[in-house]
Amino acid sequence: INDNGIGRKNAAKLRNKGHRSRGLELIEEKLQTLQKSGIAKIDLEFRDLNPEDLSFPGTQVKLVIDNYEDKEN
């Protein structure tokens, strides 16, 4: 997943100190549920797309999926 936005560091600077975003936390909980149920193990990897562009470095999120059902066959 590629996003050409302001990037994680710039977004952190703009974040409202009184607001607690739970989006990533909720996704992590869902991924843990999939792993515990024996369906799949999914890891998230984050990186800056263009770290040299300080205004709009963008972000890449990589999903690494290990499907347990494929290993049974």
Side-chain angles (χ1 to χ4, degrees):
I1 301 167
N2 291 336
D3 174 69
N4 64 350
I6 63 171
R8 297 173 290 157
K9 289 180 185 177
N10 291 338
K13 292 176 190 174
L14 298 174
R15 203 166 281 135
N16 183 342
K17 302 299 178 193
H19 174 72
R20 180 174 174 235
S21 177
R22 295 203 49 224
L24 195 54
E25 180 182 338
L26 293 172
I27 290 171
E28 291 282 354
E29 287 175 13
K30 299 292 185 193
L31 297 180
Q32 287 177 7
T33 300
L34 286 171
Q35 184 173 348
K36 288 178 184 176
S37 68
I39 294 172
K41 181 178 187 301
I42 304 173
D43 292 314
L44 297 175
E45 298 175 4
F46 297 89
R47 76 175 193 88
D48 294 330
L49 279 175
N50 302 300
E52 65 281 351
D53 183 346
L54 300 179
S55 297
F56 290 93
T59 304
Q60 181 178 68
V61 180
K62 183 177 177 182
L63 300 165
V64 181
I65 302 170
D66 185 10
N67 189 340
Y68 294 147
E69 292 177 1
D70 288 344
K71 293 187 179 207
E72 293 177 6
N73 297 327

Coordinates of all heavy atoms in Angstrom, one line a residue:
I1 N 0.9 -1.2 0.0 CA 0.0 0.0 0.0 C 0.9 1.2 0.0 O 1.7 1.4 0.9 CB -0.9 0.0 1.2 CG1 -1.8 -1.2 1.3 CG2 -1.8 1.3 1.2 CD1 -2.5 -1.5 2.6
N2 N 0.8 2.0 -1.0 CA 1.6 3.2 -1.1 C 0.7 4.5 -0.9 O -0.3 4.6 -1.5 CB 2.3 3.3 -2.5 CG 3.4 2.3 -2.6 OD1 4.0 1.8 -1.7 ND2 3.7 2.0 -3.9
D3 N 1.2 5.4 -0.1 CA 0.5 6.6 0.1 C 1.5 7.8 -0.1 O 2.6 7.8 0.5 CB 0.0 6.7 1.6 CG -0.6 8.0 1.9 OD1 -1.7 8.3 1.4 OD2 0.0 8.7 2.8
N4 N 1.1 8.8 -0.9 CA 2.0 9.9 -1.2 C 1.8 11.1 -0.4 O 2.1 12.2 -0.8 CB 1.9 10.2 -2.7 CG 0.5 10.8 -3.1 OD1 -0.4 10.7 -2.3 ND2 0.4 11.3 -4.3
G5 N 1.4 10.9 0.9 CA 1.1 12.0 1.8 C 2.3 12.6 2.4 O 3.4 12.4 2.0
I6 N 2.0 13.2 3.6 CA 3.0 14.0 4.3 C 4.0 13.1 5.1 O 5.0 13.5 5.6 CB 2.4 15.1 5.2 CG1 1.6 14.5 6.3 CG2 1.7 16.1 4.4 CD1 1.1 15.5 7.3
G7 N 3.7 11.8 5.2 CA 4.5 10.9 5.9 C 4.3 10.8 7.4 O 3.6 11.7 8.0
R8 N 4.8 9.8 8.0 CA 4.6 9.6 9.4 C 5.1 10.6 10.4 O 4.5 11.1 11.3 CB 5.1 8.2 9.8 CG 4.5 7.1 9.1 CD 5.1 5.7 9.3 NE 6.5 5.7 8.7 CZ 7.5 4.9 9.0 NH1 7.3 4.1 10.0 NH2 8.6 5.0 8.4
K9 N 6.3 11.1 10.1 CA 7.0 12.1 11.0 C 6.2 13.4 10.9 O 5.9 14.0 12.0 CB 8.4 12.3 10.6 CG 9.3 11.2 11.0 CD 10.7 11.4 10.5 CE 11.6 10.2 10.8 NZ 13.0 10.4 10.3
N10 N 5.8 13.9 9.7 CA 5.1 15.1 9.6 C 3.7 15.0 10.2 O 3.2 15.9 10.8 CB 5.0 15.6 8.1 CG 6.3 16.0 7.6 OD1 7.2 16.4 8.3 ND2 6.5 15.9 6.3
A11 N 3.1 13.8 10.0 CA 1.7 13.6 10.6 C 1.8 13.7 12.1 O 0.9 14.2 12.8 CB 1.2 12.3 10.1
A12 N 2.9 13.1 12.7 CA 3.0 13.1 14.1 C 3.1 14.5 14.7 O 2.6 14.8 15.8 CB 4.2 12.3 14.5
K13 N 3.7 15.4 13.9 CA 3.9 16.8 14.4 C 2.5 17.5 14.4 O 2.3 18.4 15.2 CB 4.8 17.6 13.4 CG 6.2 17.1 13.5 CD 7.1 17.9 12.5 CE 8.5 17.3 12.4 NZ 9.2 17.9 11.3
L14 N 1.6 17.1 13.5 CA 0.3 17.8 13.3 C -0.8 17.1 14.2 O -1.9 17.7 14.4 CB -0.2 17.7 11.9 CG 0.7 18.4 10.9 CD1 0.2 18.2 9.5 CD2 0.8 19.9 11.2
R15 N -0.5 16.0 14.8 CA -1.5 15.3 15.6 C -2.0 16.1 16.7 O -1.2 16.7 17.5 CB -0.8 14.0 16.0 CG -1.8 12.9 16.3 CD -1.2 11.5 16.5 NE -0.9 11.0 15.2 CZ 0.2 10.4 14.8 NH1 1.2 10.3 15.7 NH2 0.4 10.0 13.6
N16 N -3.3 16.1 16.9 CA -3.9 16.7 18.0 C -3.6 16.0 19.3 O -3.8 14.8 19.5 CB -5.4 16.7 17.8 CG -6.2 17.4 18.9 OD1 -5.7 17.7 20.0 ND2 -7.4 17.8 18.6
K17 N -3.0 16.7 20.2 CA -2.5 16.1 21.5 C -3.6 15.5 22.3 O -3.4 14.6 23.1 CB -1.6 17.1 22.3 CG -0.5 17.6 21.6 CD 0.5 16.6 21.2 CE 1.7 17.2 20.4 NZ 2.5 16.2 19.7
G18 N -4.8 16.0 22.2 CA -5.9 15.6 23.0 C -6.6 14.4 22.4 O -7.5 13.7 23.0
H19 N -6.3 14.0 21.1 CA -7.0 13.0 20.4 C -6.1 11.7 20.4 O -4.9 11.8 20.1 CB -7.2 13.4 19.0 CG -7.8 12.3 18.1 ND1 -9.1 11.9 18.2 CD2 -7.2 11.6 17.1 CE1 -9.3 10.9 17.3 NE2 -8.2 10.7 16.6
R20 N -6.7 10.6 20.7 CA -6.0 9.3 20.6 C -6.5 8.5 19.4 O -7.6 8.0 19.5 CB -6.2 8.5 21.9 CG -5.4 7.2 21.9 CD -5.5 6.5 23.3 NE -4.9 5.2 23.1 CZ -5.5 4.1 23.5 NH1 -6.8 4.1 24.0 NH2 -5.0 2.9 23.3
S21 N -5.7 8.4 18.4 CA -6.1 7.6 17.2 C -5.9 6.1 17.5 O -4.9 5.7 18.1 CB -5.2 8.0 16.0 OG -5.6 7.2 14.9
R22 N -6.9 5.3 17.2 CA -6.9 3.9 17.5 C -6.9 3.0 16.3 O -6.9 1.8 16.4 CB -8.1 3.5 18.4 CG -8.0 4.2 19.8 CD -8.8 3.5 20.8 NE -8.6 2.1 20.8 CZ -9.5 1.1 21.0 NH1 -10.8 1.5 21.1 NH2 -9.2 -0.1 21.0
G23 N -6.8 3.7 15.1 CA -6.9 2.9 13.8 C -5.9 1.8 13.7 O -6.2 0.6 13.5
L24 N -4.6 2.1 13.9 CA -3.6 1.0 13.8 C -3.7 0.0 14.9 O -3.5 -1.2 14.7 CB -2.2 1.7 13.8 CG -1.0 0.8 13.4 CD1 -1.3 0.2 12.0 CD2 0.2 1.6 13.4
E25 N -4.1 0.5 16.1 CA -4.3 -0.4 17.2 C -5.4 -1.5 16.9 O -5.2 -2.7 17.2 CB -4.6 0.4 18.5 CG -4.8 -0.4 19.7 CD -5.2 0.4 20.9 OE1 -4.9 1.7 20.9 OE2 -5.9 -0.1 21.8
L26 N -6.5 -1.0 16.3 CA -7.6 -1.9 16.0 C -7.2 -2.9 14.9 O -7.5 -4.1 15.0 CB -8.8 -1.1 15.5 CG -9.4 -0.2 16.6 CD1 -10.5 0.7 16.0 CD2 -10.0 -1.1 17.7
I27 N -6.4 -2.4 13.9 CA -5.9 -3.3 12.9 C -5.0 -4.4 13.5 O -5.1 -5.6 13.2 CB -5.2 -2.6 11.8 CG1 -6.2 -1.7 11.0 CG2 -4.4 -3.5 10.9 CD1 -5.6 -0.8 10.0
E28 N -4.1 -4.0 14.4 CA -3.2 -5.0 15.1 C -4.1 -6.0 15.8 O -3.7 -7.2 15.8 CB -2.3 -4.3 16.0 CG -1.2 -3.4 15.3 CD -0.1 -4.2 14.7 OE1 0.0 -5.5 14.9 OE2 0.7 -3.6 14.0
E29 N -5.1 -5.6 16.5 CA -6.0 -6.5 17.2 C -6.6 -7.5 16.3 O -6.7 -8.7 16.6 CB -7.1 -5.8 18.0 CG -6.6 -5.0 19.2 CD -7.6 -4.2 19.9 OE1 -8.8 -4.4 19.6 OE2 -7.2 -3.4 20.7
K30 N -7.1 -7.1 15.1 CA -7.7 -8.0 14.1 C -6.7 -9.0 13.6 O -7.0 -10.1 13.4 CB -8.3 -7.2 13.0 CG -9.4 -6.2 13.3 CD -10.6 -6.9 13.8 CE -11.7 -5.9 14.1 NZ -12.8 -6.4 14.8
L31 N -5.5 -8.5 13.4 CA -4.4 -9.4 12.9 C -4.1 -10.4 13.9 O -3.8 -11.6 13.6 CB -3.2 -8.6 12.4 CG -3.4 -7.6 11.3 CD1 -2.1 -6.9 11.0 CD2 -3.9 -8.3 10.0
Q32 N -4.0 -10.1 15.2 CA -3.8 -11.0 16.2 C -4.9 -12.1 16.3 O -4.6 -13.3 16.5 CB -3.6 -10.3 17.6 CG -2.3 -9.6 17.7 CD -2.3 -8.8 19.0 OE1 -3.1 -8.9 19.9 NE2 -1.2 -8.0 19.1
T33 N -6.1 -11.6 16.1 CA -7.3 -12.6 16.1 C -7.1 -13.6 15.0 O -7.4 -14.8 15.2 CB -8.6 -11.8 16.0 OG1 -8.7 -10.9 17.1 CG2 -9.8 -12.8 16.0
L34 N -6.7 -13.2 13.8 CA -6.5 -14.1 12.7 C -5.4 -15.1 13.0 O -5.6 -16.3 12.7 CB -6.2 -13.3 11.4 CG -7.3 -12.6 10.7 CD1 -6.7 -11.7 9.6 CD2 -8.3 -13.5 10.2
Q35 N -4.4 -14.6 13.6 CA -3.3 -15.5 14.0 C -3.7 -16.5 15.0 O -3.5 -17.7 14.9 CB -2.1 -14.8 14.5 CG -0.9 -15.6 14.7 CD 0.4 -14.9 15.0 OE1 0.4 -13.7 14.8 NE2 1.4 -15.5 15.5
K36 N -4.4 -16.1 16.1 CA -4.8 -17.0 17.2 C -5.8 -18.0 16.7 O -5.9 -19.1 17.2 CB -5.4 -16.1 18.3 CG -4.3 -15.4 19.1 CD -5.0 -14.5 20.2 CE -3.9 -13.7 20.9 NZ -4.5 -12.8 21.9
S37 N -6.6 -17.6 15.7 CA -7.7 -18.5 15.2 C -7.1 -19.6 14.2 O -7.7 -20.5 13.8 CB -8.8 -17.8 14.4 OG -8.2 -17.2 13.3
G38 N -5.8 -19.4 13.9 CA -5.1 -20.4 13.0 C -5.4 -20.1 11.5 O -5.1 -21.0 10.7
I39 N -5.9 -19.0 11.2 CA -6.2 -18.7 9.8 C -5.0 -18.2 9.0 O -4.6 -18.7 8.0 CB -7.3 -17.7 9.7 CG1 -8.6 -18.3 10.2 CG2 -7.5 -17.2 8.2 CD1 -9.8 -17.3 10.3
A40 N -4.3 -17.2 9.6 CA -3.1 -16.6 8.9 C -2.4 -15.8 9.9 O -2.9 -15.3 10.9 CB -3.6 -15.8 7.7
K41 N -1.1 -15.6 9.6 CA -0.2 -14.7 10.3 C 0.1 -13.6 9.4 O 0.6 -13.8 8.3 CB 1.1 -15.4 10.8 CG 2.0 -14.5 11.5 CD 3.2 -15.2 12.0 CE 4.1 -14.4 12.9 NZ 4.6 -13.1 12.4
I42 N -0.3 -12.3 9.8 CA -0.1 -11.2 8.9 C 0.8 -10.1 9.7 O 0.4 -9.7 10.8 CB -1.4 -10.5 8.5 CG1 -2.3 -11.6 7.8 CG2 -1.2 -9.3 7.6 CD1 -3.7 -11.1 7.5
D43 N 1.9 -9.8 9.1 CA 2.7 -8.8 9.7 C 2.6 -7.5 8.9 O 2.5 -7.5 7.6 CB 4.2 -9.2 9.7 CG 4.4 -10.4 10.7 OD1 3.9 -10.3 11.9 OD2 5.1 -11.4 10.3
L44 N 2.8 -6.4 9.5 CA 2.8 -5.1 8.9 C 4.2 -4.5 8.9 O 4.9 -4.5 9.9 CB 1.9 -4.1 9.6 CG 0.4 -4.4 9.6 CD1 -0.4 -3.4 10.4 CD2 -0.2 -4.4 8.2
E45 N 4.7 -4.0 7.8 CA 6.0 -3.3 7.7 C 5.8 -1.9 7.1 O 5.1 -1.8 6.1 CB 6.9 -4.1 6.8 CG 7.2 -5.5 7.3 CD 8.1 -6.3 6.3 OE1 8.5 -5.8 5.3 OE2 8.3 -7.5 6.6
F46 N 6.3 -1.0 7.8 CA 6.2 0.4 7.4 C 7.5 1.0 7.0 O 8.6 0.7 7.6 CB 5.7 1.3 8.6 CG 4.4 0.9 9.1 CD1 4.2 0.0 10.1 CD2 3.2 1.5 8.6 CE1 2.9 -0.4 10.5 CE2 2.0 1.2 9.0 CZ 1.8 0.2 10.0
R47 N 7.5 1.8 5.9 CA 8.7 2.5 5.5 C 8.4 3.8 4.8 O 7.3 3.9 4.2 CB 9.6 1.6 4.6 CG 9.2 1.5 3.2 CD 10.2 0.7 2.4 NE 10.0 0.8 1.0 CZ 10.4 1.7 0.1 NH1 11.2 2.7 0.6 NH2 10.1 1.7 -1.1
D48 N 9.3 4.8 4.8 CA 9.1 6.0 4.1 C 9.4 5.7 2.6 O 10.4 5.1 2.2 CB 10.0 7.1 4.6 CG 9.7 7.5 6.0 OD1 8.5 7.4 6.4 OD2 10.6 7.9 6.7
L49 N 8.5 6.2 1.7 CA 8.7 6.0 0.3 C 9.8 6.8 -0.3 O 10.7 6.4 -1.0 CB 7.4 6.4 -0.5 CG 6.3 5.3 -0.5 CD1 5.1 5.9 -1.2 CD2 6.8 4.1 -1.3
N50 N 9.8 8.1 0.1 CA 10.9 9.1 -0.4 C 11.4 9.9 0.7 O 11.1 11.0 0.9 CB 10.3 10.0 -1.5 CG 9.6 9.2 -2.7 OD1 10.3 8.5 -3.3 ND2 8.4 9.4 -2.9
P51 N 12.3 9.3 1.5 CA 12.8 10.0 2.7 C 13.5 11.3 2.4 O 13.5 12.2 3.3 CB 13.7 9.0 3.4 CG 13.9 7.9 2.5 CD 12.8 8.0 1.4
E52 N 14.0 11.5 1.2 CA 14.7 12.7 0.8 C 13.7 13.9 0.6 O 14.1 15.0 0.7 CB 15.6 12.5 -0.4 CG 14.8 12.2 -1.7 CD 14.4 10.8 -1.8 OE1 14.8 9.9 -1.0 OE2 13.6 10.5 -2.8
D53 N 12.4 13.6 0.4 CA 11.4 14.6 0.2 C 10.8 14.9 1.6 O 10.0 14.2 2.1 CB 10.3 14.1 -0.8 CG 9.3 15.2 -1.0 OD1 9.2 16.2 -0.3 OD2 8.5 14.9 -2.0
L54 N 11.3 16.0 2.2 CA 10.9 16.3 3.5 C 9.4 16.8 3.7 O 8.8 16.7 4.7 CB 11.8 17.4 4.1 CG 13.3 17.0 4.2 CD1 14.1 18.1 4.8 CD2 13.5 15.7 5.0
S55 N 8.8 17.3 2.6 CA 7.5 17.8 2.6 C 6.4 16.7 2.4 O 5.5 16.6 3.1 CB 7.2 18.9 1.5 OG 8.0 20.0 1.8
F56 N 6.7 15.8 1.5 CA 5.8 14.7 1.1 C 6.5 13.4 0.9 O 6.6 12.9 -0.2 CB 5.0 15.1 -0.1 CG 4.0 16.2 0.1 CD1 4.3 17.5 -0.2 CD2 2.7 15.9 0.6 CE1 3.4 18.5 0.1 CE2 1.8 16.9 0.8 CZ 2.1 18.2 0.5
P57 N 7.1 12.9 2.0 CA 7.9 11.6 1.9 C 7.0 10.4 1.6 O 7.5 9.4 1.0 CB 8.6 11.5 3.2 CG 7.7 12.2 4.2 CD 7.1 13.4 3.4
G58 N 5.8 10.5 1.9 CA 4.9 9.3 1.7 C 5.2 8.1 2.6 O 6.2 8.1 3.3
T59 N 4.4 7.2 2.5 CA 4.6 6.0 3.4 C 4.2 4.7 2.6 O 3.2 4.8 1.8 CB 3.6 6.1 4.6 OG1 3.9 7.3 5.3 CG2 3.8 4.9 5.6
Q60 N 4.9 3.7 2.8 CA 4.5 2.4 2.3 C 4.3 1.4 3.4 O 5.0 1.3 4.4 CB 5.7 1.8 1.4 CG 5.3 0.5 0.8 CD 6.4 0.0 -0.1 OE1 7.5 -0.4 0.4 NE2 6.2 0.0 -1.4
V61 N 3.1 0.7 3.3 CA 2.8 -0.3 4.3 C 2.8 -1.6 3.5 O 2.1 -1.8 2.5 CB 1.4 -0.1 4.9 CG1 1.1 -1.2 5.9 CG2 1.3 1.3 5.6
K62 N 3.5 -2.6 4.0 CA 3.6 -3.9 3.3 C 3.0 -4.9 4.3 O 3.3 -5.0 5.5 CB 5.1 -4.2 3.1 CG 5.3 -5.5 2.4 CD 6.8 -5.7 2.2 CE 7.1 -7.0 1.5 NZ 8.6 -7.2 1.4
L63 N 2.1 -5.7 3.7 CA 1.4 -6.8 4.4 C 2.1 -8.1 4.0 O 2.2 -8.4 2.9 CB 0.0 -6.9 4.0 CG -0.9 -5.7 4.3 CD1 -2.2 -5.8 3.6 CD2 -1.2 -5.5 5.8
V64 N 2.6 -8.8 5.0 CA 3.3 -10.0 4.8 C 2.4 -11.1 5.4 O 2.1 -11.2 6.6 CB 4.7 -10.1 5.5 CG1 5.4 -11.4 5.3 CG2 5.6 -8.9 5.1
I65 N 1.8 -11.9 4.4 CA 0.8 -12.9 4.8 C 1.3 -14.3 4.7 O 1.8 -14.7 3.7 CB -0.5 -12.7 3.9 CG1 -1.0 -11.3 4.0 CG2 -1.6 -13.7 4.3 CD1 -2.0 -10.9 2.9
D66 N 1.2 -15.0 5.9 CA 1.6 -16.4 5.9 C 0.3 -17.2 6.2 O -0.3 -17.2 7.3 CB 2.5 -16.6 7.1 CG 3.1 -18.0 7.1 OD1 2.9 -18.8 6.2 OD2 3.8 -18.4 8.1
N67 N -0.3 -17.7 5.1 CA -1.6 -18.4 5.1 C -1.4 -19.8 5.7 O -0.8 -20.7 5.1 CB -2.2 -18.5 3.7 CG -3.6 -19.0 3.7 OD1 -4.1 -19.6 4.7 ND2 -4.3 -18.7 2.7
Y68 N -2.0 -20.1 6.9 CA -1.8 -21.4 7.5 C -2.5 -22.5 6.7 O -2.0 -23.6 6.7 CB -2.4 -21.4 8.9 CG -1.6 -20.5 9.9 CD1 -2.2 -19.8 10.9 CD2 -0.2 -20.3 9.7 CE1 -1.5 -19.0 11.7 CE2 0.5 -19.4 10.6 CZ -0.2 -18.8 11.6 OH 0.5 -18.0 12.5
E69 N -3.6 -22.2 6.1 CA -4.4 -23.2 5.3 C -3.5 -23.8 4.2 O -3.6 -25.0 3.9 CB -5.7 -22.7 4.8 CG -6.6 -22.3 5.9 CD -7.9 -21.7 5.4 OE1 -8.1 -21.5 4.2 OE2 -8.8 -21.4 6.2
D70 N -2.7 -23.0 3.6 CA -1.8 -23.5 2.5 C -0.8 -24.5 3.0 O -0.4 -25.4 2.3 CB -1.1 -22.3 1.8 CG -2.0 -21.5 0.9 OD1 -3.1 -22.0 0.6 OD2 -1.6 -20.4 0.6
K71 N -0.4 -24.4 4.3 CA 0.6 -25.3 4.8 C 0.1 -26.6 5.2 O 0.8 -27.6 5.4 CB 1.3 -24.6 6.0 CG 2.0 -23.4 5.6 CD 2.8 -22.9 6.8 CE 3.6 -21.6 6.3 NZ 4.7 -21.4 7.0
E72 N -1.3 -26.8 5.3 CA -1.9 -28.0 5.6 C -1.9 -29.0 4.4 O -2.0 -30.2 4.6 CB -3.3 -27.8 6.2 CG -3.3 -27.1 7.5 CD -4.7 -26.8 8.0 OE1 -5.7 -27.2 7.4 OE2 -4.8 -26.1 9.0
N73 N -1.9 -28.5 3.2 CA -2.0 -29.3 2.0 C -0.7 -29.8 1.5 O 0.3 -29.4 1.6 CB -2.7 -28.5 0.9 CG -4.1 -28.1 1.3 OD1 -4.8 -28.8 2.0 ND2 -4.5 -26.9 0.9

